[in-house]
Amino acid sequence: MSLFQVEGLVKRFGGLVATDHVSLSVERGEIHALIGPNGAGKTTLVNQISGLLQPDAGRVLLDGVDITPLPMHRRVAHGLTRCFQVTRIFPAQTVRDNLLLAVQAHSGSSFRFLQPRSQASDLYVKAEQLAERVGLQHSLAETAGALPHGAQRMLDVALALAAAPKLLLLDEPMAGMGPGESQQMVHLIEALRKDMAVLLIEHDMEAVFRLADRISVLVYGRVLTAGTPDEIRNHPEVQAVYLGTETLETTA
Ligand SMILES: Nc1ncnc2c1ncn2[C@@H]1O[C@H](COP(=O)(O)OP(=O)(O)O)[C@@H](O)[C@H]1O
Ligand SMILES: [Mg+2]
């Protein structure tokens, strides 16, 4: 059984079918990329997977559990966490406090000052481990809102990791990043594979083809095809979709 399955998902906006019977699966330890031209329905699909939008038909299954009716926070409890492109960061707080809040939120208790000292220091250790995981160990005392864009994105990923997800949803993690920052993000995502599966929506084709074990191609709300990076690169219809817009010749 796959870790994650989307079955026959449909979402309509008036007369427009933004998600047209989409099915896909993500295996344990897999980095699965979702690509497709603008307007293909990627964000609409991700919103239904994370619980922001309810589908008109179809199911979303995580580890065999039908999570379709669950609100976002209950999906997180089941192991599905989404990165939010920095919107969940508290900009006036330090990196450490942002991480502490996230760690605390997933530790099962909400009031740190009610906890014994030893447990509080446990939260600090966890927060520092998360910072180290995303390369922010030297920025713990910095104000989160003052970090460069790429570092804020890394912090956002660290906040998601605090939930110890089974499946991490990343919607355009490289957007707005410089080449150096993108490289760091690629290395980070690569390193996540041993602990979780990743569903990656990304325009940066070089990153997609480097990271993905499998790629699903969405066009006009439908899955055109799914396959390995080589299969997708050599797929005539995929090439036609991307002709003149983006090139898939990224690993030559
Ligand atoms: N809330 C909405 N109301 C109406 N139409 C929407 C809404 N959200 C998205 N759409 C439409 O659905 C289609 C898919 O959009 P989207 O999921 O944002 O695509 P992508 O993320 O692949 O660029 C587009 O035609 C878009 O205009
Ligand atoms: Mg989008």
Side-chain angles (χ1 to χ4, degrees), residues 6-22 44-45 47-49 51-60 66 68-69 75 221:
V6 169
E7 290 179 356
L9 222 55
V10 176
K11 183 71 194 176
R12 296 188 186 89
F13 295 118
L16 176 83
V17 189
T19 308
D20 193 357
H21 298 89
V22 167
T44 303
L45 180 59
N47 285 344
Q48 293 167 87
I49 291 172
L52 211 58
L53 273 180
Q54 265 298 312
D56 296 317
R59 301 198 303 168
V60 182
D66 184 354
T68 325
R75 295 183 193 214

Side-chain angles (χ1 to χ4, degrees), residues 118-136:
S118 60
Q119 276 183 38
S121 80
D122 194 44
L123 297 181
Y124 274 78
V125 170
K126 281 188 183 150
E128 283 168 21
Q129 285 170 343
L130 284 173
E132 194 156 342
R133 203 149 169 210
V134 302
L136 287 177

Side-chain angles (χ1 to χ4, degrees), residues 103-252:
V103 166
Q104 186 182 313
H106 296 287
S107 71
S109 58
S110 30
F111 295 105
R112 189 169 76 228
F113 54 81
L114 292 179
Q115 291 182 356
R117 219 186 152 76
S118 60
Q119 276 183 38
S121 80
D122 194 44
L123 297 181
Y124 274 78
V125 170
K126 281 188 183 150
E128 283 168 21
Q129 285 170 343
L130 284 173
E132 194 156 342
R133 203 149 169 210
V134 302
L136 287 177
Q137 64 272 25
H138 303 300
S139 308
L140 281 159
E142 286 179 40
T143 306
L147 293 175
H149 177 74
Q152 291 196 25
R153 282 289 175 85
M154 294 306 216
L155 177 57
D156 186 47
V157 174
L159 297 177
L161 295 181
K166 295 177 194 168
L167 177 70
L168 181 66
L169 267 180
L170 292 168
D171 193 0
E172 298 187 27
M174 279 82 168
M177 282 189 165
E181 292 176 334
S182 291
Q183 276 303 315
Q184 280 179 7
M185 186 59 87
V186 165
H187 288 138
L188 170 59
I189 296 170
E190 222 154 33
L192 296 179
R193 190 200 305 261
K194 65 177 176 18
D195 297 316
M196 67 198 69
V198 175
L199 183 57
L200 171 70
I201 293 84
E202 182 51 56
H203 281 295
D204 180 339
M205 288 301 144
E206 201 172 315
V208 163
F209 279 86
R210 172 152 170 207
L211 284 168
D213 299 299
R214 280 192 305 150
I215 299 171
S216 292
V217 184
L218 207 63
V219 181
Y220 294 124
R222 293 186 182 177
V223 177
L224 176 68
T225 185
T228 63
D230 272 347
E231 287 165 352
I232 296 302
R233 196 181 285 112
N234 298 315
H235 194 291
E237 282 181 76
V238 176
Q239 289 181 346
V241 164
Y242 276 90
L243 205 66
T245 52
E246 286 160 86
T247 176
L248 298 178
E249 306 288 321
T250 51
T251 54

